[in-house]
């Protein structure tokens, strides 16, 4: 009987872990990569402008997607380059990013899905070999996913194995948003029989076809913990998704939206970005402020806070 009790306890423990794995996910931005020594985005922009002889262009206060378009268009006029060539150069630079201890700590959290805006594979700890998404996407990233060590990584802005998928310019952002809105609101017209044709909203409302197919599904079905991501207002794809979700929850009173969204920031950036913090709160995102200036210690505290919320031990 004692042995049987131990067996049930173990099974119950694994069942609890499995339930937690499917209750929340992480949305991880590029700032975790800044802990590792290497090239910064500022350095990369400088190198690109020098390589394509458009170094006279000023960064100023230009939104990054528009600055990218300016660099690209300037390079076309001077050298008639192919955009894939430019993105391949960026991909080669990004792929040199080295993983650090925060990447490892993220991998140790017992969850099935990790969403990232990063193009590199430092989160996985190894370079992926192929995109396992239901659709073979060459440009956009609605279904783009890579699997490693029993986890699924959703590279929502493309990955460095596929330079054409890297989302940088205004044109790419708008195309991505168009695909996202079709998936969520209008429904899809993909030829694949494995992809649901009805819109995500219709399926969630009718409680039909709710099998996870896209990273977008997670924003309506699981808690999302966002960190390492500045969420600049030029990230029109993510801001639209937050807006649409909040409108459905509060304006259309969609009862199936029960998950929570969390955004982690430091005390310093919270005080410097109050406008953005207010926007996030209006969009049903809870702000969690952590008073820690050291970047590595800050992200350790973020991950500890996530674990504490779901009563997870330090290692699983």
């Amino acid at each position: 009987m004692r042995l049987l009790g131990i067996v049930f306890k173990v099974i119950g423990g694994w069942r609890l872990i499995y339930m937690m794995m499917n209750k929340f996910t992480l949305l991880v931005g590029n700032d975790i990569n800044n802990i590792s020594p290497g090239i910064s985005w500022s350095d990369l922009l400088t190198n690109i402008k020098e390589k394509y002889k458009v170094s006279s262009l000023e960064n100023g206060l230009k939104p990054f997607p528009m600055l990218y378009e300016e660099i690209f268009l300037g390079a076309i006029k001077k050298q008639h380059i192919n955009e894939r060539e430019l993105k391949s150069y960026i991909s080669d630079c990004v792929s040199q990013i080295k993983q650090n201890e925060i990447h490892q700590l993220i991998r140790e959290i017992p969850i099935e899905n990790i969403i990232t805006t990063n193009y590199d594979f430092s989160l996985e700890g190894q370079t992926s070999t192929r995109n396992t998404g239901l659709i073979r996407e060459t440009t956009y990233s609605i279904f783009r996913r890579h699997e490693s060590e029993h986890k699924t990584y959703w590279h929502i802005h493309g990955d460095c194995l596929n330079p054409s998928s890297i989302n940088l310019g205004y044109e790419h952002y708008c195309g991505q948003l168009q695909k996202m809105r079709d998936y969520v609101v209008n429904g899809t017209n993909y030829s694949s029989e494995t992809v649901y044709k009805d819109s995500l909203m219709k399926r969630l409302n009718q409680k039909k076809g709710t099998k996870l197919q896209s990273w977008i599904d997670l924003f309506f079905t699981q808690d999302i913990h966002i960190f390492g991501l500045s969420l600049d207002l030029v990230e029109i794809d993510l801001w639209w998704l937050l807006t649409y979700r909040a409108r459905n929850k509060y304006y259309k009173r969609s009862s199936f939206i029960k998950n929570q969204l969390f955004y982690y920031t430091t005390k310093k950036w919270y005080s410097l970005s109050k406008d953005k913090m207010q926007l996030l709160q209006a969009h049903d995102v809870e702000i969690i402020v952590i008073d820690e200036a050291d970047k590595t210690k800050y992200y350790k505290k973020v991950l500890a806070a996530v674990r504490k919320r779901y009563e997870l031990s330090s290692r699983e």
Side-chain angles (χ1 to χ4, degrees):
M1 288 297 292
R2 183 180 178 185
L3 178 61
L4 187 61
I6 294 173
V7 170
F8 278 122
K9 185 176 181 180
V10 171
I11 293 174
W14 279 112
R15 184 181 292 116
L16 178 62
I17 291 173
Y18 180 78
M19 289 173 62
M20 289 297 101
M21 289 176 73
N22 290 280
K23 181 175 177 58
F24 73 98
T25 190
L26 309 178
L27 168 52
V28 185
N30 184 65
D31 191 54
I32 64 165
N33 289 341
N34 293 332
I35 297 173
S36 306
I39 188 170
S40 67
W41 271 110
S42 178
D43 295 333
L44 179 58
L45 285 174
T46 299
N47 293 346
I48 292 171
K49 289 192 288 186
E50 290 178 353
K51 178 178 176 64
Y52 294 104
K53 300 181 178 8
V54 290
S55 56
S56 62
L57 297 179
E58 297 290 339
N59 291 9
L61 298 176
K62 300 168 184 173
F64 178 78
M66 295 304 292
L67 175 61
Y68 170 82
E69 297 292 354
E70 184 180 23
I71 292 172
F72 174 57
L73 293 171
I76 288 177
K77 294 174 184 176
K78 288 190 176 290
Q79 298 187 36
H80 301 286
I81 68 164
N82 184 289
E83 187 171 20
R84 183 176 176 82
E85 177 190 337
L86 173 55
K87 287 192 173 184
S88 293
Y89 173 71
I90 294 171
S91 176
D92 290 341
C93 293
V94 169
S95 62
Q96 296 174 24
I97 294 173
K98 305 297 183 183
Q99 61 172 307
N100 56 58
E101 60 179 313
I102 300 303
H103 295 108
Q104 177 63 35
L105 290 173
I106 290 172
R107 288 195 294 273
E108 290 177 0
I109 293 183
I111 52 176
E112 287 192 353
N113 296 281
I114 296 176
I115 307 170
T116 182
T117 55
N118 300 346
Y119 316 127
D120 62 283
F121 293 95
S122 298
L123 273 171
E124 286 92 329
Q126 58 187 352
T127 301
S128 180
T129 56
R130 68 187 183 95
N131 170 14
T132 60
L134 294 178
I135 299 295
R136 185 179 177 274
E137 297 171 299
T138 58
T139 305
Y140 303 113
S141 303
I142 307 303
F143 304 96
R144 185 177 306 280
R145 71 186 183 196
H146 296 268
E147 296 175 72
S148 176
E149 298 296 326
H150 309 295
K151 280 182 169 51
T152 298
Y153 296 84
W154 303 86
H155 288 263
I156 67 176
H157 284 170
D159 64 75
C160 57
L161 284 181
N162 304 276
S164 295
S165 72
I166 292 180
N167 192 351
L168 289 165
Y170 206 66
E171 164 64 18
H172 202 141
Y173 267 101
C174 290
Q176 170 88 350
L177 178 53
Q178 182 180 10
K179 293 289 185 180
M180 288 172 61
R181 198 173 194 284
D182 282 342
Y183 180 81
V184 175
V185 184
N186 302 321
T188 66
N189 58 0
Y190 297 104
S191 58
S192 172
E193 294 299 322
T194 60
V195 177
Y196 297 122
K197 299 299 186 289
D198 287 339
S199 70
L200 176 62
M201 287 298 97
K202 181 178 180 179
R203 289 186 280 117
L204 290 175
N205 189 47
Q206 295 180 348
K207 295 181 175 58
K208 296 179 180 179
T210 55
K211 181 181 178 181
L212 178 63
Q213 292 200 328
S214 167
W215 62 271
I216 300 172
D217 301 4
L218 297 166
F219 267 78
F220 296 87
T221 57
Q222 293 190 17
D223 293 350
I224 306 288
H225 295 265
I226 307 168
F227 59 90
L229 184 64
S230 64
L231 264 180
D232 287 337
L233 299 182
V234 296
E235 304 264 17
I236 56 175
D237 54 343
L238 290 174
W239 278 104
W240 172 80
L241 188 58
L242 292 176
T243 298
Y244 191 79
R245 176 187 175 278
R247 277 175 165 262
N248 271 269
K249 181 175 180 178
Y250 294 110
Y251 183 56
K252 295 187 178 180
R253 301 188 182 280
S254 298
S255 59
F256 56 81
I257 301 178
K258 298 177 181 178
N259 62 321
Q260 295 178 279
L261 308 180
F262 305 92
Y263 182 83
Y264 295 80
T265 188
T266 64
K267 186 176 181 179
K268 174 184 176 181
W269 285 109
Y270 179 81
S271 62
L272 292 174
S273 309
K274 288 186 177 179
D275 286 353
K276 187 188 297 182
M277 298 302 120
Q278 289 175 348
L279 283 172
L280 284 167
Q281 289 171 322
H283 285 73
D284 193 39
V285 179
E286 181 179 334
I287 310 297
I288 299 178
V289 180
I290 295 179
D291 188 8
E292 177 58 67
D294 181 87
K295 197 178 289 290
T296 301
K297 291 179 180 178
Y298 164 71
Y299 284 115
K300 286 183 176 180
K301 289 183 177 180
V302 168
L303 296 175
V306 173
R307 284 182 172 276
K308 183 178 180 181
R309 181 174 293 274
Y310 300 100
E311 298 181 344
L312 300 171
S313 60
S314 58
R315 290 178 184 270
E316 295 289 345

